[in-house]
Amino acid sequence: MCGIVGYTGSKSAQPILVGGLKRLEYRGYDSAGVAIEQDGELEVVHRKGKVEALEHTLLHFHFTGTCGIGHTRWATHGRPSEANAHPHTSCDAQIAVVHNGIIENFAELRENLIARGHHFTSETDTEVVAHLVEEEYARGASLLDALRLATQQLVGAYALAVVSAKEPGVIVCTRKDSPLVVGVGEDGSFVASDIIAMIEETRDVVVLSDGQFARLTSESVEFYGEDGNAFEPIISHVDWDLDVAEKGGYPDFMLKEIHEQPRVIRDTLAGRLVNGALSIDELDLSVEELNLIDRVYVIACGTSYHAGLIAKNLIEGWARIPTEVEVASEFRYRNPIITPTTLVVAVSQSGETADTLAAIRDARVKGARVFGITNVVGSPVARESDGVIYTKANKEIAVASTKSFLGQVVSLTLLALLLAQVKGKLKMNQVRLLFSELADTAHQVETILEDTTAIDRAAAACVDATSALFVGRGMGAAISYEGALKLKEISYLHAEAYPAGEMKHGPIALIDEGFPVIAVATKSPVYDKVISNLQESKARGAMIVAIATEGDEEIVKHADHVIYIPKVRDVFSAITASVPLQLFARAIAIKRGCDVDQPRNLAKSVTVE
Ligand code: F6R
């Protein structure tokens, strides 16, 4: 995902910008660029591909300018290309802008700007900002005011940093729903989307809030609130070492990535509701073709397969299309029924899992349309699918998938809504209502992350167990599989998941005094049935940990530990209930002394069969 870095000071900007961009590489990107003030002009250099390619090119220029901005881009609007790489400039090339986020009303703004005589050189949403700032500047506003007036016209999420050849040595910046940090150093001032980008230069930082602005010069930084009034910021001193800095201050990548999930939900949904209708342009299928789809296979491995189990409930429930979810290593070796109206959805975080790729190839040979859902731009899954939805998780470093799983679930939910919309199974107002409730889950996940006391207590009670059962019904069953996988892979505690109704067909024999049963018992049409299953387990001595809906007092009678999560529509409980199960698994693993980021025997990408 995109990254921003900016510097103005007494040193040469080029190595500082390149160094910052390198530190942001972990986020994943497809192109990089810088704009540096040099001899009264802005020199803009872009490269598709790695920062190293940009660095190589810059070596030929030897820019000595001491003010500039840089960016790593992960394509959203417009394909990965040199022309679409940031910084983007105004018509007169005197103003350059870098941007993270999505400007949702860019199409309308762009049309109006073109009508007013502006010339565009990229397909991006970002370029409108450069032209809007240019217009306000031409009307006599300062660079800071021009940015403020420009942002008043924007709908969407943004972190923005802007430089102008007409105000040398000045960087102005602001944010809304996308992080931005300002650094105050001995040799100048810094701005970046992540502290990590500036940590080698300064450790005194101000984290901007939504609607705040900063004006950086080599000697000082001025801060302004949403109302335009200057304010004295609280400067925080970051004393993390580099390793911790890369982890954003968290003790491990897994926890950092779990905490990124509200952002992943927001980013995955950004720009998807266009004029009140759901839109997934990347799928590259006409409405007529989508309408013909009469069977869906979701193929994937591991955690991604569990995202598929959740999708089955949604696609069948909303779009009424028969949906099968299959482990890719099985799918590839049988002879599934595939016709030209079959849609195969291949889900893979890494985009390079060998079995999933083989299944894609097989499905295409048999005539299916294949959509990929992946986290890695340009990965084999993306390249070999007919259309692709990118989950907006950023690079996932911990081996156990957390944030990319949530990104997959949200992307699959969008796909299910789209199919239902196209097939007329949901009315437009129903789609909009569901979309808005889906968006609300970002905040609900934040609430869950705020207080983990109940999760830690339940984990402490299970830490010495040798085995555990995860149970649920409906959505709860699908989530249980993922809960059990997370626990076994990072804590090495044996765990199984079953639909709760299956307990009495065998697994209940395992239960004796103190045996942990972790139940997804959120409010749903099958809540009472889950409670009956818990009573059966409790009667045999099980220690019950229940994930339950806030306000449910009944559950306390049946469970030893209750982890409450906010009330959501049952179909969205997959998103909210997964989060405490991730934290529960991590807490047990930590207590058992395991390396949660790199569990034994596992690799992040499984590129062999
Ligand atoms: C578990 C986990 C794995 C992956 C599986 C598929 O936390 O990460 O089970 O989900 O190896 O990988 P991708 O999604 O890259 O195809």
Side-chain angles (χ1 to χ4, degrees):
M1 289 289 288
C2 306
I4 288 177
V5 60
Y7 168 70
T8 174
S10 55
K11 299 205 236 172
S12 168
Q14 182 176 313
I16 293 177
L17 297 179
V18 171
L21 293 179
K22 281 186 169 169
R23 291 223 161 273
L24 293 173
E25 281 189 301
Y26 77 93
R27 297 162 68 93
Y29 64 100
D30 50 58
S31 52
V34 294
I36 297 175
E37 287 174 15
Q38 182 74 20
D39 305 326
E41 296 295 328
L42 284 184
E43 299 288 351
V44 180
V45 181
H46 306 133
R47 278 294 165 272
K48 192 174 163 203
K50 294 288 165 201
V51 174
E52 213 179 336
L54 174 71
E55 183 178 29
H56 201 73
T57 308
L58 286 171
L59 288 178
H60 299 295
F61 291 104
H62 300 297
F63 293 131
T64 52
T66 58
C67 176
I69 51 178
H71 192 262
T72 47
R73 171 175 190 256
W74 190 2
T76 52
H77 291 84
R79 72 216 135 81
S81 69
E82 215 152 288
N84 287 336
H86 301 208
H88 290 291
T89 50
S90 52
C91 298
D92 62 4
Q94 297 285 293
I95 290 164
V97 174
V98 288
H99 164 225
N100 287 0
I102 292 180
I103 309 295
E104 287 171 19
N105 60 338
F106 88 97
E108 185 192 333
L109 291 170
R110 182 181 167 115
E111 209 173 287
N112 293 339
L113 283 159
I114 290 172
R116 296 201 291 273
H118 288 265
H119 173 65
F120 279 73
T121 56
S122 79
E123 305 157 322
T124 64
D125 52 337
T126 303
E127 196 181 339
V128 297
V129 182
H131 295 281
L132 290 173
V133 172
E134 178 177 36
E135 281 197 343
E136 301 299 341
Y137 201 84
R139 290 189 188 117
S142 66
L143 191 57
L144 180 68
D145 286 338
L147 177 62
R148 191 196 326 280
L149 292 163
T151 55
Q152 285 168 5
Q153 302 171 58
L154 304 180
V155 176
Y158 48 80
L160 290 161
V162 184
V163 287
S164 168
K166 294 176 184 159
E167 289 194 25
V170 174
I171 302 175
V172 294
C173 57
T174 187
R175 62 156 278 185
K176 181 178 161 276
D177 293 335
S178 190
L180 202 63
V181 186
V182 171
V184 188
E186 279 183 10
D187 299 314
S189 312
F190 304 81
V191 60
S193 48
D194 189 324
I195 293 170
I196 183 81
M198 58 174 82
I199 201 145
E200 272 175 311
E201 304 295 333
T202 181
R203 285 165 179 269
D204 293 324
V205 301
V206 177
V207 179
L208 285 191
S209 299
D210 276 355
Q212 293 182 337
F213 289 77
R215 180 177 185 275
L216 286 65
T217 65
S218 58
E219 282 93 35
S220 64
V221 185
E222 295 156 13
F223 293 88
Y224 299 91
E226 225 166 346
D227 51 10
N229 293 331
F231 70 93
E232 271 309 311
I234 299 168
I235 298 181
S236 314
H237 183 75
V238 177
D239 51 11
W240 310 331
D241 60 26
L242 271 181
D243 178 47
V244 178
E246 273 170 1
K247 292 174 185 153
Y250 292 96
D252 47 76
F253 282 110
M254 185 179 181
L255 190 60
K256 173 177 182 267
E257 289 164 0
I258 288 173
H259 277 259
E260 282 177 58
Q261 295 181 114
R263 198 252 328 131
V264 175
I265 297 171
R266 291 193 177 103
D267 284 359
T268 306
L269 295 180
R272 291 301 186 188
L273 209 56
V274 178
N275 299 329
L278 201 68
S279 140
I280 311 182
D281 292 346
E282 310 92 293
L283 290 184
D284 224 17
L285 272 193
S286 66
V287 169
E288 291 72 29
E289 286 171 301
L290 281 171
N291 210 357
L292 286 175
I293 291 167
D294 56 6
R295 180 195 292 266
V296 176
Y297 282 105
V298 183
I299 49 171
C301 304
T303 286
S304 304
Y305 166 77
H306 297 151
L309 294 179
I310 290 158
K312 174 182 169 74
N313 288 296
L314 302 175
I315 299 173
E316 291 193 339
W318 287 334
R320 310 302 298 153
I321 307 174
T323 302
E324 286 183 48
V325 190
E326 200 157 341
V327 167
S329 54
E330 290 296 314
F331 183 92
R332 65 182 288 194
Y333 288 118
R334 43 177 216 102
N335 192 10
I337 299 164
I338 286 179
T339 70
T341 51
T342 302
L343 174 67
V344 168
V345 183
V347 187
S348 172
Q349 184 283 130
S350 61
E352 54 184 18
T353 300
D355 283 321
T356 309
L357 271 173
I360 290 176
R361 288 169 193 152
D362 188 47
R364 290 190 63 165
V365 167
K366 292 188 169 121
R369 297 300 293 246
V370 178
F371 288 166
I373 295 190
T374 179
N375 197 34
V376 179
V377 176
S379 58
V381 164
R383 288 200 306 270
E384 298 199 24
S385 299
D386 296 301
V388 62
I389 305 180
Y390 287 114
T391 49
K392 303 283 167 54
N394 290 351
K395 189 169 174 58
E396 191 173 61
I397 292 173
V399 167
S401 267
T402 53
K403 61 175 181 171
S404 59
F405 169 72
L406 233 64
Q408 291 167 348
V409 173
V410 174
S411 301
L412 286 162
T413 307
L414 285 175
L415 180 62
L417 277 175
L418 182 81
L419 291 170
Q421 174 181 289
V422 168
K423 290 206 170 257
K425 300 288 181 193
L426 287 177
K427 298 199 182 76
M428 293 307 283
N429 58 348
Q430 288 175 303
V431 171
R432 283 194 290 273
L433 175 67
L434 288 164
F435 185 90
S436 116
E437 288 182 24
L438 177 60
D440 289 344
T441 61
H443 177 64
Q444 285 145 357
V445 170
E446 271 162 2
T447 314
I448 295 168
L449 295 171
E450 268 163 25
D451 182 5
T452 60
T453 323
I455 300 170
D456 293 337
R457 224 175 267 146
C462 298
V463 72
D464 294 323
T466 50
S467 189
L469 269 181
F470 285 68
V471 296
R473 283 174 178 254
M475 275 295 182
I479 305 160
S480 296
Y481 288 110
E482 178 55 11
L485 177 62
K486 276 301 80 93
L487 182 60
K488 69 183 126 188
E489 69 179 325
I490 59 168
S491 75
Y492 319 139
L493 195 167
H494 173 251
E496 294 296 331
Y498 276 93
E502 277 290 289
M503 288 289 282
K504 57 172 87 64
H505 298 287
I508 203 164
L510 286 170
I511 294 179
D512 58 6
E513 206 53 40
F515 186 98
V517 172
I518 294 90
V520 179
T522 46
K523 284 286 182 182
S524 75
V526 287
Y527 173 80
D528 291 339
K529 306 270 176 211
V530 176
I531 294 295
S532 312
N533 299 130
L534 293 189
Q535 285 167 334
E536 290 156 9
S537 301
K538 186 91 196 126
R540 287 157 181 85
M543 182 187 51
I544 312 265
V545 175
I547 311 287
T549 306
E550 228 163 44
D552 176 3
E553 287 166 14
E554 168 72 14
I555 192 79
V556 182
K557 297 182 204 151
H558 310 289
D560 300 272
H561 295 273
V562 180
I563 299 167
Y564 283 114
I565 58 173
K567 188 170 184 336
V568 292
R569 192 186 285 262
D570 181 41
V571 283
F572 299 134
S573 62
I575 296 172
T576 48
S578 300
V579 178
L581 292 179
Q582 296 165 348
L583 290 163
F584 175 75
R586 178 186 169 277
I588 293 182
I590 297 276
K591 286 179 207 299
R592 289 163 72 104
C594 303
D595 178 346
V596 293
D597 284 342
Q598 288 182 336
R600 69 185 180 205
N601 306 340
L602 294 177
K604 188 68 188 159
S605 282
V606 184
T607 53
V608 290
E609 201 179 332

